């Protein structure tokens, strides 16, 4: 891996991710996107970047200190070189965000306008002052920083108004935490069209907070801290409760080292120098933003406040009824006759929720087993599992407590499940359980029936309306037996289990994917049609990348739909001429993972929880499931063809790592819009067939009754 040739067709994962987030920001600048949705994209870009700094930059920061000889396998860069490249790129993205945000503010003016305190009328200033005195001032805790009041701990991503103070004798700094218990937006009138941000309101009253001082300079700051703490079970004391130890580990995150400092609007060289010394940061880790540092308030602006918001939002769409499953009939009985596939958010999660509800009440169901990574608040899924346990079913939940930033939520649910009589397992040491697998076992007439659900996304009702994911439901005995073995293996920490149908990481998934790539290579070398089509969130696994490069060189046609990171560069002469990569960023977060190998009747198709990242293929428990029914295979291929044809929201990855829009030579195709319309038509068609069935049934009954009367 040491020579430059190895890096000819690969790029750094962190810089690739920043390009993905730039595509998110481009949605905010797209005039074809509704105005408030564009505003949301600025907020999504910002929160994405926050998490990137907390996790990825935090990890690189640690590596730069602890592993001096570390070299990135895709770019040959050291950890410090990567950090410096990230800082340079980030500064450009801040400028782009500022420009887009400024334009959006102007376009939003007729609807809602963030104003400065200086622009308020006398009456508005009086009302703002009254609000400040009554609702804000009692919650503030201003402090000076001096020998008796040392520099305080600044909470991760919390907002502070920081001031430089002067008296006749000295110069010092002061700090005002912006309270989180008060609304960020203070609306100046009942129509709620003009607002002041809380930090601006506090900044306008600094003289009252620091009496006896001259306010020399002030700004709003936010510190981003390294949140990449190691949550492996190796840190857990065997003598103490795992959940309690996890709670203690999470407390460490709040005090981790600073990795970034942001200033809002105003900067000053002496101030930056001072705070960098206090936080042990270099000045390249300081970023000046003309956009508010916390944009989460943007989502509240999209809630009804009087007036019609719909012109500023995406056209209303609700997940459609499944074309495969009817809610007015038992789901398990339907699955005994055919497999079913749900495609969120185009189709509703309700059939799966109905399946769990049925299972919790069915007297013949003996057990429900499920893996859990992320859950919705007030989860219906948890409600059905609790009901099942209370109804005497054996309920086993493999709960991953190490799901980043969802740890506390999962701890709370784990306690609830245990208190309800469920068996809760906590994963495997050093391996996160990221698979999405649910198994319902029913014993009828002394025969076991297995109902298995395998998904590409979490068991989360909220994100099922925001993320695109497949959910496969089947009563196939072979897949059910594999699921039985999977849960038995997980219960004893066995990662080397063998399965007839499922591909399970870390043991078999990667080796089988490599083997299927090899099969296509062999076909190409024998002058046979050879194709690989994959839909992923990220591609970073070096072994997979190298094998795809080998396949391209052999003549295999490789099409990749990758939303985020792609470390494989296409179109590199001598390496990747037969690779093409598209990325779709739009209304919904593209999240489904699909692997397709070959073409025609022998094509193999899998849906999976795993991206082609080393963390997924080698360090997590993941599941990929084959799709056998030809009807469902063709449906998935049809969906992928629509995505590949997208020339509105898709971008094509260039050989230099940049992305370019696809040419719109013919029909404009927005794949997500087309898939919504397809779901509506399929639901209407299914509804029409159901009506015809009912009508036909009524006619048969009527005919029978009429015949009996005769």
């Amino acid at each position: 891996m040491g020579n430059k040739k190895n890096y000819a067709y690969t790029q750094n994962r962190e810089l690739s991710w920043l390009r993905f987030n730039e595509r998110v920001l481009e949605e905010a600048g797209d005039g074809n996107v509704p105005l408030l949705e564009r505003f949301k994209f600025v907020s999504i870009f910002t929160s994405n970047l926050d998490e990137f700094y907390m996790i990825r930059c935090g990890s690189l920061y640690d590596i730069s200190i602890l592993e001096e000889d570390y070299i990135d396998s895709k770019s040959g860069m050291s950890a410090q070189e990567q950090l410096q490249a990230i800082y340079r790129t980030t500064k450009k993205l801040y400028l782009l965000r500022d420009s887009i945000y400024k334009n959006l503010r102007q376009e939003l003016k007729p609807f809602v306008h963030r104003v400065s305190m200086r622009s308020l009328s006398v009456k508005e200033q009086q009302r703002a002052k009254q609000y400040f005195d009554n609702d804000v001032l009692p919650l503030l805790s201003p402090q000076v920083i001096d020998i008796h009041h040392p520099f305080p701990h600044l909470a991760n991503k919390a907002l502070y108004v920081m001031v430089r103070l002067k008296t006749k004798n000295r110069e010092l700094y002061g700090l005002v935490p912006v309270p989180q218990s008060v609304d960020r937006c203070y609306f100046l009138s009942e129509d709620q069209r003009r607002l002041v941000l809380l930090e601006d309101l506090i900044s306008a009253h600094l003289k009252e907070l620091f009496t006896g001082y001259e306010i020399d300079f002030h700004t709003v700051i936010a510190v981003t801290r390294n949140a990449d703490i190691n949550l492996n079970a190796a840190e857990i004391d065997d003598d103490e409760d795992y959940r309690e130890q996890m709670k203690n580990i999470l407390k460490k995150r709040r005090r981790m080292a600073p990795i970034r400092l942001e200033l809002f609007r105003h900067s000053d060289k002496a101030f930056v120098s001072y705070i960098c010394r206090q936080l042990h940061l270099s000045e390249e880790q300081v970023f000046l933003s003309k956009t508010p540092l916390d944009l989460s308030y943007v989502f509240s602006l999209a809630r009804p406040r009087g007036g019609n918001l719909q012109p500023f939002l995406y056209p209303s769409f609700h997940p459609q009824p499944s074309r495969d499953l009817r809610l007015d009939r038992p789901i398990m009985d339907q699955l005994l006759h055919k497999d079913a596939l749900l495609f969120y958010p185009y189709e509703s999660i309700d059939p799966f929720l109905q399946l769990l509800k049925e299972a919790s009440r069915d007297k013949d169901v003996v057990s429900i087993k499920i893996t859990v990574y992320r859950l919705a608040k007030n989860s219906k899924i948890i409600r059905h599992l609790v009901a099942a346990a209370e109804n005497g079913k054996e309920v086993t939940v493999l709960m991953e407590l190490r799901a980043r930033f969802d740890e506390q939520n999962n701890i709370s649910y784990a306690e609830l499940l245990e208190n309800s009589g469920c068996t809760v397992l906590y994963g495997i040491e050093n391996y996160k359980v990221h698979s999405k697998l649910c198994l319902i076992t029913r014993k009828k007439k002394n025969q076991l029936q297995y109902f298995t659900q395998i998904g590409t996304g979490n068991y989360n009702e909220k994100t099922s309306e925001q993320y695109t994911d497949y959910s496969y439901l089947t009563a196939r005995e072979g897949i059910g037996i594999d699921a039985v073995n999977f849960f038995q293996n997980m219960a004893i920490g066995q990662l080397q289990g063998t399965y007839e149908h499922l591909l399970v990481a870390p043991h078999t998934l990667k080796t089988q994917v490599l083997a299927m790539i090899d099969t296509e290579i062999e076909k190409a070398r024998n002058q046979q049609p050879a194709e690989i089509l994959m839909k992923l969130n990220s591609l970073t696994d070096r072994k997979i990348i190298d094998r795809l490069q080998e396949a391209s060189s052999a003549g295999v046609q490789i099409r990749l739909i990758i939303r985020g990171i792609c470390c494989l560069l296409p179109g590199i002469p001598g390496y990747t001429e037969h690779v093409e990569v598209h990325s779709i960023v739009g209304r919904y977060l593209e999240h489904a993972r699909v692997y397709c190998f070959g073409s025609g009747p022998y094509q193999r198709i899998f849906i999976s929880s795993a991206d082609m990242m080393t963390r997924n293929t080698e360090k997590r428990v993941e599941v990929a499931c084959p799709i056998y029914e030809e009807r469902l295979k063709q449906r998935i291929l049809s969906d992928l063809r629509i995505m590949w044809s997208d020339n509105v929201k898709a971008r094509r990855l260039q050989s230099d790592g940049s992305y370019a829009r696809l040419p719109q030579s013919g029909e404009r195709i927005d794949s997500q819009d087309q898939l919504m319309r397809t779901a509506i038509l399929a639901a209407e068609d299914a509804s029409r067939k159901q009506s015809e069935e009912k009508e036909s049934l009524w006619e048969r009954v009527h005919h029978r009754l009429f015949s009996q009367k005769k």
Side-chain angles (χ1 to χ4, degrees):
M1 301 297 289
N3 59 63
K4 290 185 178 181
K5 182 181 177 182
N6 292 342
Y7 310 131
Y9 52 88
T10 55
Q11 67 171 330
N12 179 260
R13 66 166 281 172
E14 318 307 345
L15 299 181
S16 178
W17 185 91
L18 287 171
R19 288 188 173 112
F20 153 68
N21 209 28
E22 184 176 5
R23 297 195 293 283
V24 173
L25 190 55
E26 285 175 357
E27 288 297 293
D30 185 346
N32 294 314
V33 176
L35 200 51
L36 275 173
E37 304 292 355
R38 290 166 62 190
F39 213 9
K40 289 181 188 177
F41 274 111
V42 184
S43 181
I44 294 167
F45 164 86
T46 301
S47 59
N48 283 350
L49 195 61
D50 291 344
E51 185 170 329
F52 175 77
Y53 266 82
M54 284 188 275
I55 302 305
R56 295 306 307 168
C57 291
S59 176
L60 286 171
Y61 178 80
D62 290 341
I63 290 171
S64 68
I65 296 171
L66 301 173
E67 301 180 38
E68 292 182 5
D69 58 348
Y70 168 84
I71 294 295
D72 173 45
S73 67
K74 271 79 74 176
S75 64
M77 300 166 71
S78 69
Q80 191 59 42
E81 287 171 336
Q82 290 179 73
L83 285 169
Q84 288 169 349
I86 288 167
Y87 299 150
R88 289 193 299 271
T89 304
T90 301
K91 289 186 188 296
K92 295 176 184 176
L93 291 175
Y94 270 68
L95 292 174
L96 179 59
R97 180 181 65 175
D98 288 343
S99 174
I100 290 173
Y101 177 78
K102 181 181 178 181
N103 293 336
L104 279 174
R105 280 189 67 189
Q106 291 301 313
E107 291 186 61
L108 279 167
K109 252 187 181 181
F111 169 63
V112 61
H113 183 40
R114 180 177 70 80
V115 298
S116 67
M117 291 293 293
R118 293 190 304 274
S119 66
L120 304 189
S121 68
V122 174
K123 284 188 177 180
E124 287 175 334
Q125 288 179 2
Q126 289 172 346
R127 284 198 300 270
K129 179 70 168 68
Q130 185 178 15
Y131 173 74
F132 176 80
D133 290 342
N134 294 337
D135 295 84
V136 179
L137 183 59
L139 301 175
L140 299 182
S141 302
Q143 69 177 89
V144 294
I145 302 167
D146 59 19
I147 192 169
H148 299 294
H149 306 87
F151 194 89
H153 173 80
L154 303 183
N156 184 40
K157 282 305 297 175
L159 299 180
Y160 298 85
V161 179
M162 194 161 181
V163 298
R164 185 164 59 229
L165 307 167
K166 283 190 174 182
T167 65
K168 290 182 180 180
N169 302 321
R170 59 177 177 157
E171 178 180 282
L172 71 164
Y173 287 93
L175 200 67
V176 187
V178 176
Q180 297 181 7
S181 56
V182 184
D183 287 340
R184 280 283 301 294
C185 300
Y186 169 63
F187 289 97
L188 295 160
S189 56
E190 289 186 6
D191 65 10
Q192 297 192 340
R193 290 188 182 278
R194 299 174 75 240
L195 66 90
V196 173
L197 288 182
L198 181 58
E199 55 265 36
D200 291 339
L201 187 63
I202 293 170
S203 296
H205 293 88
L206 289 173
K207 288 184 178 179
E208 298 172 39
L209 299 173
F210 295 98
T211 55
Y213 294 98
E214 176 189 343
I215 307 297
D216 179 55
F217 168 82
H218 77 273
T219 188
V220 180
I221 66 169
V223 171
T224 308
R225 292 183 177 274
N226 181 354
D228 189 38
I229 57 176
N230 188 344
L231 297 179
N232 286 332
E235 300 183 17
I236 307 298
D237 188 335
D238 290 338
D239 295 331
E240 296 191 48
D241 181 78
Y242 182 65
R243 288 194 308 267
E244 291 304 313
Q245 284 292 329
M246 282 295 300
K247 291 176 186 177
N248 293 330
I249 289 172
L250 290 178
K251 290 176 184 177
K252 294 180 182 179
R253 183 177 282 158
R254 300 172 194 163
R255 303 196 67 86
M256 296 279 279
I259 194 72
R260 177 182 60 162
L261 171 68
E262 296 174 285
L263 289 76
F264 177 44
R265 268 202 308 239
H266 305 299
S267 183
D268 174 279
K269 191 169 184 179
F271 170 81
V272 169
S273 179
Y274 167 78
I275 199 165
C276 281
R277 288 197 304 273
Q278 299 299 323
L279 297 173
H280 305 291
L281 293 171
S282 65
E283 292 193 13
E284 63 184 352
Q285 294 171 273
V286 180
F287 301 90
L288 179 66
S289 172
K290 294 180 181 178
T291 304
L293 305 183
D294 179 356
L295 284 171
S296 56
Y297 75 90
V298 165
F299 288 87
S300 68
L301 300 181
R303 298 184 192 126
R305 303 188 316 279
N308 182 18
L309 292 181
Q310 196 53 56
F312 303 101
L313 299 169
Y314 286 124
S316 178
F317 175 80
H318 300 287
Q320 297 296 296
S322 165
R323 66 188 76 178
D324 290 335
L325 297 170
R326 295 174 55 170
L327 294 180
D328 61 346
R329 295 179 180 176
I331 302 295
M332 283 185 279
D333 289 352
Q334 293 179 70
L335 292 177
L336 289 172
H337 292 93
K338 65 175 182 179
D339 294 347
L341 186 71
L342 306 177
F343 192 12
Y344 312 144
Y346 310 111
E347 292 178 304
S348 172
I349 194 176
D350 287 347
F352 174 66
L353 297 177
Q354 181 72 14
L355 174 64
L356 281 181
K357 187 176 182 179
E358 270 181 37
S360 71
R361 298 176 176 182
D362 190 315
K363 63 181 177 60
D364 295 320
V365 167
V366 293
S367 71
I368 302 174
K369 299 180 180 183
I370 190 170
T371 61
V372 169
Y373 196 74
R374 298 188 197 277
L375 292 160
K377 298 289 192 293
N378 303 314
S379 170
K380 293 179 183 177
I381 289 165
I382 291 294
R383 224 177 296 163
H384 294 322
L385 295 174
V386 167
E390 291 174 347
N391 288 335
K393 316 298 180 190
E394 178 195 332
V395 178
T396 302
V397 180
L398 183 51
M399 178 73 76
E400 182 52 77
L401 296 189
R402 295 164 292 183
R404 188 101 58 187
F405 302 124
D406 271 307
E407 298 96 344
Q408 187 56 57
N409 191 46
N410 288 2
I411 288 169
S412 300
Y413 275 133
E415 291 171 344
L416 172 63
L417 289 165
E418 281 198 347
N419 291 336
S420 302
C422 302
T423 299
V424 181
L425 308 176
Y426 293 113
I428 296 173
E429 184 174 347
N430 297 325
Y431 294 86
K432 284 186 181 180
V433 179
H434 188 251
S435 52
K436 326 297 180 189
L437 184 65
C438 178
L439 172 67
I440 296 165
T441 304
R442 183 166 72 173
K443 190 173 185 180
K444 211 158 188 176
K445 295 179 182 178
N446 290 323
Q447 284 195 328
L448 291 177
Q449 297 174 338
Y450 302 111
F451 303 92
T452 312
Q453 182 274 341
I454 300 107
T456 66
N458 295 302
Y459 295 111
N460 186 317
E461 303 94 285
K462 183 178 179 181
T463 57
S464 74
E465 297 185 357
Q466 301 166 342
Y467 296 4
T468 72
D469 274 305
Y470 284 112
S471 177
Y472 173 58
L473 300 98
T474 182
R476 290 176 183 268
E477 185 177 46
I479 290 177
I481 290 172
D482 270 6
V484 170
N485 292 333
F486 173 85
F487 281 105
Q488 288 178 348
N489 286 331
M490 293 303 103
I492 62 172
Q494 171 59 269
L495 296 173
Q496 309 298 317
T498 56
Y499 304 93
E500 190 72 24
H501 304 273
L502 302 179
L503 310 182
V504 180
H507 184 47
T508 59
L509 189 147
K510 183 171 178 175
T511 55
Q512 289 299 310
V513 167
L514 290 170
M516 286 186 281
I517 297 174
D518 286 342
T519 299
E520 297 307 303
I521 292 173
E522 191 64 26
K523 287 182 190 174
R525 287 173 177 165
N526 290 327
Q527 308 302 311
Q528 297 173 337
E531 297 179 18
I532 295 172
L533 171 60
M534 302 180 85
K535 183 180 186 300
L536 305 166
N537 298 327
S538 297
L539 170 60
T540 68
D541 187 302
R542 182 76 209 211
K543 288 183 181 177
I544 300 289
I545 288 170
D546 288 342
R547 200 64 59 87
L548 288 172
Q549 182 275 316
E550 185 181 342
S552 174
S553 294
V556 180
Q557 298 300 314
I558 301 170
R559 291 175 295 160
L560 306 174
I561 304 172
I562 301 178
R563 182 195 79 222
I565 304 167
C566 181
C567 292
L568 174 64
L569 292 172
I572 304 295
Y575 294 100
T576 56
E577 291 101 329
H578 294 106
V579 177
E580 187 171 349
V581 183
H582 292 189
S583 170
I584 298 171
V585 177
R587 174 174 182 168
Y588 301 119
L589 182 82
E590 292 291 338
H591 196 253
R593 292 93 163 186
V594 184
Y595 319 148
C596 307
F597 297 94
S599 58
Y602 301 106
Q603 186 174 33
R604 303 183 69 182
I605 298 178
F606 296 79
I607 66 166
S608 179
S609 59
D611 285 306
M612 293 294 105
M613 306 177 76
T614 307
R615 74 177 188 188
N616 298 93
T617 58
E618 296 183 7
K619 299 175 183 177
R620 289 185 176 183
V621 176
E622 306 274 11
V623 169
C625 178
I627 303 296
Y628 291 123
E629 192 169 326
E630 189 62 28
R631 172 181 61 90
L632 298 185
K633 289 172 72 171
Q634 291 305 317
R635 184 181 160 193
I636 290 173
L637 289 172
S638 174
D639 294 340
L640 294 175
R641 278 194 292 270
I642 291 171
M643 295 176 208
W644 190 256
S645 301
D646 193 313
N647 57 14
V648 175
K649 294 301 178 185
R651 308 283 191 277
R652 181 186 288 136
L653 178 59
Q654 308 297 295
S655 58
D656 63 355
S658 65
Y659 283 80
R661 291 181 181 273
L662 277 83
Q664 293 183 352
S665 54
E667 178 189 359
R668 282 172 54 88
I669 299 174
D670 179 333
S671 60
Q672 293 186 352
D673 182 65
Q674 189 160 325
L675 288 166
M676 281 189 281
R677 286 187 277 116
T678 299
I680 291 170
L681 292 173
E684 289 174 350
D685 186 51
S687 177
R688 185 169 54 254
K689 287 179 180 177
Q690 289 173 23
S691 297
E692 290 170 357
E693 286 176 13
K694 287 179 181 177
E695 188 175 335
S696 175
L697 176 63
W698 186 88
E699 287 175 352
R700 291 198 303 272
V701 171
H702 182 269
H703 177 73
R704 190 178 303 150
L705 290 172
F706 184 75
S707 299
Q708 288 174 351
K709 285 182 180 180
K710 273 190 156 186

